[in-house]
Amino acid sequence: MLRKNFTLAAIAATAALTLGACATTPTDSGASAGSADDVVKIGVVGAADDKWAVFEKVAEEEGLNIEIVDFGDYQQANPALAQDQIDLNQFQHLQFLAGYNVEAGDDLQPIGATAVYPLALYSSKHTALEDIPAGGEIAVPNDATNLARALLVLQEAKLIELKDGGSSLSTEADVLPSSKVKVTPVDAAQTAISLQSVDGAIINNDFLEDAGLAPEDALFQDDPDSAASEPYINVWVARAADKDDETLLKIAALSQNEEVIAAEKKASGGTAVIKDNSPAELQEILAGIEENYRAQG
Protein backbone atom coordinates (compact mmCIF):
# COMPACT_ATOMS: atom_id res chain seq x y z
CA MET A 1 0.00 0.00 0.00
CA LEU A 2 1.39 3.32 -0.95
CA ARG A 3 0.56 6.05 1.50
CA LYS A 4 3.78 7.92 2.21
CA ASN A 5 5.56 10.71 0.37
CA PHE A 6 7.27 10.09 -2.97
CA THR A 7 8.46 12.40 -5.75
CA LEU A 8 8.73 11.84 -9.47
CA ALA A 9 12.33 13.03 -9.31
CA ALA A 10 13.11 10.21 -6.90
CA ILE A 11 11.35 7.74 -9.16
CA ALA A 12 13.41 8.86 -12.14
CA ALA A 13 16.64 8.82 -10.15
CA THR A 14 16.14 5.25 -8.97
CA ALA A 15 14.59 3.70 -12.07
CA ALA A 16 17.99 2.51 -13.31
CA LEU A 17 19.24 1.13 -9.99
CA THR A 18 20.92 -2.27 -9.85
CA LEU A 19 19.01 -3.88 -7.03
CA GLY A 20 21.84 -5.34 -5.02
CA ALA A 21 19.74 -5.11 -1.88
CA CYS A 22 17.27 -7.63 -3.24
CA ALA A 23 18.70 -11.12 -3.45
CA THR A 24 16.29 -12.50 -6.02
CA THR A 25 16.90 -14.53 -9.14
CA PRO A 26 15.44 -13.24 -12.42
CA THR A 27 12.40 -15.18 -13.55
CA ASP A 28 10.95 -15.90 -16.95
CA SER A 29 8.32 -13.35 -18.03
CA GLY A 30 5.68 -16.04 -18.48
CA ALA A 31 5.14 -16.77 -14.79
CA SER A 32 3.12 -19.75 -13.66
CA ALA A 33 2.54 -21.66 -10.43
CA GLY A 34 2.33 -25.34 -9.81
CA SER A 35 5.62 -26.77 -8.60
CA ALA A 36 8.60 -25.69 -6.54
CA ASP A 37 10.26 -24.60 -9.78
CA ASP A 38 7.33 -22.34 -10.70
CA VAL A 39 7.32 -19.92 -7.78
CA VAL A 40 5.70 -16.56 -8.50
CA LYS A 41 7.75 -13.83 -6.84
CA ILE A 42 5.76 -10.88 -5.49
CA GLY A 43 7.52 -7.64 -4.58
CA VAL A 44 6.12 -5.75 -1.58
CA VAL A 45 7.24 -3.09 0.86
CA GLY A 46 6.64 -4.20 4.43
CA ALA A 47 6.51 -7.99 4.16
CA ALA A 48 6.37 -8.24 7.95
CA ASP A 49 2.77 -6.99 7.91
CA ASP A 50 0.47 -9.72 9.19
CA LYS A 51 -1.68 -9.40 6.07
CA TRP A 52 1.01 -11.06 3.96
CA ALA A 53 1.04 -14.16 6.15
CA VAL A 54 -2.71 -14.39 5.58
CA PHE A 55 -2.24 -13.87 1.86
CA GLU A 56 0.38 -16.64 1.67
CA LYS A 57 -1.96 -19.02 3.50
CA VAL A 58 -4.87 -18.30 1.16
CA ALA A 59 -2.63 -18.60 -1.91
CA GLU A 60 -1.38 -22.00 -0.73
CA GLU A 61 -4.96 -23.17 -0.19
CA GLU A 62 -5.70 -22.16 -3.78
CA GLY A 63 -2.71 -24.13 -5.07
CA LEU A 64 -0.73 -21.01 -5.94
CA ASN A 65 2.99 -21.18 -5.25
CA ILE A 66 4.19 -17.70 -4.27
CA GLU A 67 7.17 -16.06 -2.61
CA ILE A 68 6.92 -12.64 -0.97
CA VAL A 69 10.00 -10.52 -1.73
CA ASP A 70 10.49 -7.54 0.59
CA PHE A 71 11.98 -4.27 -0.66
CA GLY A 72 13.55 -1.68 1.58
CA ASP A 73 11.86 1.26 -0.11
CA TYR A 74 9.25 2.11 -2.69
CA GLN A 75 11.73 3.07 -5.38
CA GLN A 76 13.05 -0.48 -5.95
CA ALA A 77 10.03 -2.64 -6.65
CA ASN A 78 9.14 -1.29 -10.10
CA PRO A 79 12.66 -1.49 -11.54
CA ALA A 80 12.92 -5.03 -10.12
CA LEU A 81 9.74 -6.00 -11.95
CA ALA A 82 10.93 -4.39 -15.18
CA GLN A 83 14.22 -6.30 -14.89
CA ASP A 84 12.44 -9.69 -14.44
CA GLN A 85 13.70 -10.09 -10.87
CA ILE A 86 10.11 -10.54 -9.66
CA ASP A 87 6.85 -11.44 -11.41
CA LEU A 88 4.41 -9.07 -9.70
CA ASN A 89 4.44 -6.24 -7.24
CA GLN A 90 1.80 -4.83 -4.91
CA PHE A 91 2.65 -1.65 -3.07
CA GLN A 92 1.52 1.33 -5.14
CA HIS A 93 -1.45 3.22 -6.46
CA LEU A 94 -2.09 4.13 -10.09
CA GLN A 95 -0.80 7.69 -9.72
CA PHE A 96 2.59 6.43 -8.55
CA LEU A 97 2.71 3.79 -11.27
CA ALA A 98 1.93 6.38 -13.95
CA GLY A 99 4.73 8.62 -12.70
CA TYR A 100 7.19 5.73 -12.77
CA ASN A 101 6.18 4.61 -16.27
CA VAL A 102 6.47 8.10 -17.74
CA GLU A 103 9.76 8.97 -16.05
CA ALA A 104 11.37 5.58 -16.68
CA GLY A 105 9.96 5.05 -20.17
CA ASP A 106 8.38 1.82 -18.99
CA ASP A 107 5.00 0.14 -19.55
CA LEU A 108 4.16 -1.78 -16.37
CA GLN A 109 0.45 -2.57 -16.16
CA PRO A 110 -2.13 -2.98 -13.36
CA ILE A 111 -3.89 -6.36 -13.33
CA GLY A 112 -5.98 -6.12 -10.18
CA ALA A 113 -7.21 -3.68 -7.54
CA THR A 114 -6.75 -3.83 -3.79
CA ALA A 115 -7.98 -0.75 -1.95
CA VAL A 116 -8.14 3.00 -1.62
CA TYR A 117 -6.93 4.53 1.63
CA PRO A 118 -8.81 7.79 2.26
CA LEU A 119 -6.73 10.92 2.85
CA ALA A 120 -8.05 13.15 5.61
CA LEU A 121 -7.91 16.55 7.28
CA TYR A 122 -7.14 16.75 11.00
CA SER A 123 -7.01 19.61 13.49
CA SER A 124 -6.01 20.07 17.12
CA LYS A 125 -7.60 23.53 17.26
CA HIS A 126 -11.01 22.95 15.69
CA THR A 127 -13.60 20.22 16.17
CA ALA A 128 -15.63 20.82 13.01
CA LEU A 129 -14.84 21.72 9.41
CA GLU A 130 -16.95 24.88 9.57
CA ASP A 131 -14.90 26.14 12.53
CA ILE A 132 -11.80 26.61 10.39
CA PRO A 133 -11.59 30.40 9.90
CA ALA A 134 -11.20 32.36 6.69
CA GLY A 135 -7.51 32.98 6.17
CA GLY A 136 -6.62 29.90 8.22
CA GLU A 137 -3.55 27.83 7.44
CA ILE A 138 -3.60 24.18 6.40
CA ALA A 139 -0.43 22.07 6.16
CA VAL A 140 -0.25 19.59 3.29
CA PRO A 141 2.37 17.01 2.22
CA ASN A 142 4.89 18.61 -0.14
CA ASP A 143 5.65 15.63 -2.41
CA ALA A 144 4.04 15.72 -5.84
CA THR A 145 1.65 12.78 -5.48
CA ASN A 146 0.31 13.56 -2.02
CA LEU A 147 0.28 17.33 -2.54
CA ALA A 148 -2.10 17.12 -5.47
CA ARG A 149 -4.37 14.69 -3.66
CA ALA A 150 -4.36 16.85 -0.51
CA LEU A 151 -5.38 19.88 -2.55
CA LEU A 152 -8.26 17.93 -4.07
CA VAL A 153 -9.36 16.93 -0.55
CA LEU A 154 -9.35 20.59 0.55
CA GLN A 155 -11.29 21.58 -2.55
CA GLU A 156 -13.86 18.86 -1.87
CA ALA A 157 -14.12 20.26 1.67
CA LYS A 158 -14.77 23.71 0.12
CA LEU A 159 -11.73 25.22 1.83
CA ILE A 160 -9.89 26.04 -1.41
CA GLU A 161 -10.56 26.47 -5.11
CA LEU A 162 -8.16 25.12 -7.72
CA LYS A 163 -7.37 26.44 -11.16
CA ASP A 164 -9.42 24.67 -13.85
CA GLY A 165 -11.04 22.51 -11.17
CA GLY A 166 -7.77 20.82 -10.18
CA SER A 167 -6.33 17.43 -11.09
CA SER A 168 -4.05 14.72 -9.73
CA LEU A 169 -1.15 16.91 -10.88
CA SER A 170 -2.19 20.16 -9.13
CA THR A 171 0.33 22.12 -7.05
CA GLU A 172 0.07 24.94 -4.53
CA ALA A 173 0.46 27.36 -7.45
CA ASP A 174 -3.01 26.26 -8.61
CA VAL A 175 -4.73 27.42 -5.40
CA LEU A 176 -6.86 30.42 -6.37
CA PRO A 177 -6.91 33.68 -4.36
CA SER A 178 -10.64 33.15 -3.78
CA SER A 179 -9.85 30.20 -1.49
CA LYS A 180 -11.00 30.35 2.14
CA VAL A 181 -7.66 29.15 3.55
CA LYS A 182 -4.00 29.19 2.58
CA VAL A 183 -1.97 26.02 2.22
CA THR A 184 1.56 25.37 3.43
CA PRO A 185 3.42 22.39 1.93
CA VAL A 186 5.66 20.54 4.41
CA ASP A 187 7.35 17.16 4.48
CA ALA A 188 4.68 14.48 4.87
CA ALA A 189 6.27 13.27 8.10
CA GLN A 190 5.93 16.81 9.53
CA THR A 191 2.23 17.27 8.83
CA ALA A 192 1.12 15.79 12.15
CA ILE A 193 3.76 17.74 14.08
CA SER A 194 2.59 20.96 12.45
CA LEU A 195 -0.90 20.59 13.97
CA GLN A 196 0.24 22.67 16.94
CA SER A 197 0.90 25.70 14.76
CA VAL A 198 -1.72 25.54 11.98
CA ASP A 199 -5.50 25.29 11.76
CA GLY A 200 -5.38 21.87 10.23
CA ALA A 201 -3.26 19.38 8.31
CA ILE A 202 -3.75 16.71 5.70
CA ILE A 203 -2.04 13.67 7.24
CA ASN A 204 -1.23 10.33 5.62
CA ASN A 205 -2.49 7.26 7.47
CA ASP A 206 1.06 6.09 8.14
CA PHE A 207 1.68 8.98 10.53
CA LEU A 208 -1.56 8.90 12.51
CA GLU A 209 -0.67 6.40 15.21
CA ASP A 210 2.63 8.07 16.14
CA ALA A 211 0.76 11.37 16.42
CA GLY A 212 -1.85 9.90 18.74
CA LEU A 213 -4.56 10.30 16.12
CA ALA A 214 -7.19 7.87 14.85
CA PRO A 215 -9.04 7.89 11.51
CA GLU A 216 -12.28 8.81 13.29
CA ASP A 217 -10.64 12.06 14.46
CA ALA A 218 -10.70 13.43 10.91
CA LEU A 219 -12.74 16.54 10.16
CA PHE A 220 -13.05 15.53 6.51
CA GLN A 221 -11.74 12.89 4.09
CA ASP A 222 -11.97 12.29 0.37
CA ASP A 223 -14.62 10.02 -1.09
CA PRO A 224 -12.93 6.71 -2.05
CA ASP A 225 -15.70 5.99 -4.53
CA SER A 226 -15.40 9.29 -6.43
CA ALA A 227 -13.76 9.74 -9.82
CA ALA A 228 -11.16 11.96 -8.12
CA SER A 229 -10.02 8.97 -6.05
CA GLU A 230 -9.44 6.66 -9.03
CA PRO A 231 -5.73 7.57 -9.37
CA TYR A 232 -5.25 6.42 -5.78
CA ILE A 233 -6.53 2.87 -6.22
CA ASN A 234 -3.76 0.54 -5.04
CA VAL A 235 -3.00 -2.16 -7.56
CA TRP A 236 -1.26 -5.38 -8.49
CA VAL A 237 1.28 -4.67 -11.24
CA ALA A 238 2.85 -6.91 -13.88
CA ARG A 239 4.98 -6.43 -16.97
CA ALA A 240 2.89 -5.56 -20.03
CA ALA A 241 3.80 -8.90 -21.65
CA ASP A 242 2.31 -10.72 -18.65
CA LYS A 243 -0.85 -8.70 -18.05
CA ASP A 244 -3.07 -11.54 -19.33
CA ASP A 245 -1.19 -14.36 -17.58
CA GLU A 246 -3.82 -16.58 -15.93
CA THR A 247 -1.75 -17.41 -12.87
CA LEU A 248 -0.89 -13.79 -12.16
CA LEU A 249 -4.53 -12.80 -12.58
CA LYS A 250 -5.56 -15.52 -10.10
CA ILE A 251 -3.06 -14.19 -7.57
CA ALA A 252 -4.31 -10.62 -8.00
CA ALA A 253 -7.91 -11.81 -7.63
CA LEU A 254 -7.12 -13.10 -4.14
CA SER A 255 -7.45 -9.50 -2.95
CA GLN A 256 -11.20 -10.12 -3.15
CA ASN A 257 -10.98 -13.14 -0.82
CA GLU A 258 -12.81 -12.56 2.48
CA GLU A 259 -9.83 -13.52 4.66
CA VAL A 260 -7.50 -11.29 2.64
CA ILE A 261 -9.96 -8.39 2.81
CA ALA A 262 -10.24 -8.74 6.58
CA ALA A 263 -6.44 -8.75 6.93
CA GLU A 264 -6.13 -5.71 4.67
CA LYS A 265 -8.64 -3.75 6.69
CA LYS A 266 -6.97 -4.72 9.95
CA ALA A 267 -3.55 -3.68 8.66
CA SER A 268 -4.90 -0.27 7.66
CA GLY A 269 -6.61 0.39 10.97
CA GLY A 270 -9.97 -0.04 9.32
CA THR A 271 -9.39 2.69 6.73
CA ALA A 272 -8.99 0.52 3.61
CA VAL A 273 -11.88 0.70 1.16
CA ILE A 274 -11.68 -2.44 -0.96
CA LYS A 275 -11.90 -1.93 -4.73
CA ASP A 276 -12.69 -4.52 -7.40
CA ASN A 277 -12.05 -2.65 -10.67
CA SER A 278 -11.28 -4.94 -13.59
CA PRO A 279 -7.80 -4.98 -15.15
CA ALA A 280 -9.20 -3.25 -18.23
CA GLU A 281 -10.68 -0.44 -16.12
CA LEU A 282 -7.43 0.02 -14.21
CA GLN A 283 -5.39 0.08 -17.40
CA GLU A 284 -7.70 2.72 -18.87
CA ILE A 285 -7.35 4.91 -15.77
CA LEU A 286 -3.57 4.48 -15.86
CA ALA A 287 -3.40 5.49 -19.53
CA GLY A 288 -5.32 8.69 -18.75
CA ILE A 289 -2.99 9.64 -15.90
CA GLU A 290 0.07 8.96 -18.04
CA GLU A 291 -1.37 11.15 -20.80
CA ASN A 292 -1.79 13.98 -18.28
CA TYR A 293 1.80 13.56 -17.10
CA ARG A 294 3.13 13.77 -20.64
CA ALA A 295 0.96 16.80 -21.45
CA GLN A 296 2.24 18.60 -18.37
CA GLY A 297 5.88 18.15 -19.05
Side-chain angles (χ1 to χ4, degrees):
M1 63 188 83
L2 180 68
R3 292 171 284 162
K4 292 186 178 179
N5 54 309
F6 314 102
T7 64
L8 292 183
I11 297 170
T14 58
L17 281 177
T18 300
L19 301 174
C22 179
T24 62
T25 302
T27 59
D28 294 332
S29 64
S32 62
S35 72
D37 296 326
D38 297 323
V39 177
V40 176
K41 296 184 178 181
I42 302 171
V44 307
V45 178
D49 287 352
D50 291 342
K51 69 174 187 177
W52 288 115
V54 173
F55 191 89
E56 288 178 304
K57 180 183 79 70
V58 171
E60 183 178 0
E61 291 171 351
E62 293 295 324
L64 296 164
N65 195 354
I66 69 170
E67 176 186 342
I68 302 298
V69 180
D70 197 21
F71 286 86
D73 66 60
Y74 293 90
Q75 308 302 340
Q76 296 181 337
N78 279 332
L81 180 59
Q83 295 167 14
D84 289 4
Q85 296 187 24
I86 55 177
D87 304 296
L88 276 175
N89 68 41
Q90 203 269 80
F91 74 98
Q92 65 193 314
H93 51 47
L94 290 167
Q95 185 77 23
F96 187 85
L97 176 58
Y100 167 80
N101 275 347
V102 171
E103 294 291 341
D106 213 331
D107 189 29
L108 302 182
Q109 291 295 310
I111 65 167
T114 62
V116 168
Y117 306 93
L119 189 62
L121 171 67
Y122 297 83
S123 176
S124 62
K125 296 182 178 180
H126 310 291
T127 58
L129 188 63
E130 55 268 23
D131 293 338
I132 296 177
E137 183 180 7
I138 306 295
V140 297
N142 65 1
D143 59 282
T145 298
N146 286 310
L147 171 59
R149 188 180 181 188
L151 295 176
L152 291 172
V153 172
L154 293 178
Q155 179 169 256
E156 193 175 344
K158 303 189 184 307
L159 292 176
I160 65 170
E161 295 180 27
L162 294 171
K163 179 181 178 182
D164 298 328
S167 73
S168 60
L169 298 176
S170 293
T171 71
E172 66 271 28
D174 296 312
V175 178
L176 298 176
S178 55
S179 298
K180 179 180 179 180
V181 301
K182 62 179 180 179
V183 298
T184 301
V186 300
D187 185 271
Q190 299 298 312
T191 52
I193 297 172
S194 70
L195 279 178
Q196 302 306 314
S197 59
V198 297
D199 291 282
I202 299 289
I203 305 174
N204 299 63
N205 289 348
D206 287 342
F207 305 116
L208 294 183
E209 185 174 353
D210 288 344
L213 296 169
E216 54 267 27
D217 296 327
L219 300 187
F220 186 84
Q221 67 178 34
D222 53 2
D223 178 1
D225 294 320
S226 69
S229 289
E230 288 182 343
Y232 309 109
I233 298 172
N234 282 250
V235 289
W236 289 90
V237 179
R239 291 178 290 274
D242 297 333
K243 66 183 179 67
D244 297 318
D245 183 277
E246 291 185 5
T247 297
L248 300 187
L249 290 169
K250 286 179 182 178
I251 291 172
L254 292 182
S255 284
Q256 308 306 316
N257 174 279
E258 289 185 4
E259 286 186 72
V260 173
I261 288 173
E264 182 67 61
K265 289 186 175 181
K266 181 180 179 181
S268 69
T271 63
V273 177
I274 305 302
K275 308 300 289 186
D276 61 357
N277 304 69
S278 70
E281 290 173 330
L282 297 170
Q283 290 157 21
E284 182 178 0
I285 296 169
L286 176 68
I289 302 170
E290 290 177 352
E291 183 178 349
N292 289 339
Y293 268 123
R294 294 187 182 98
Q296 186 188 54

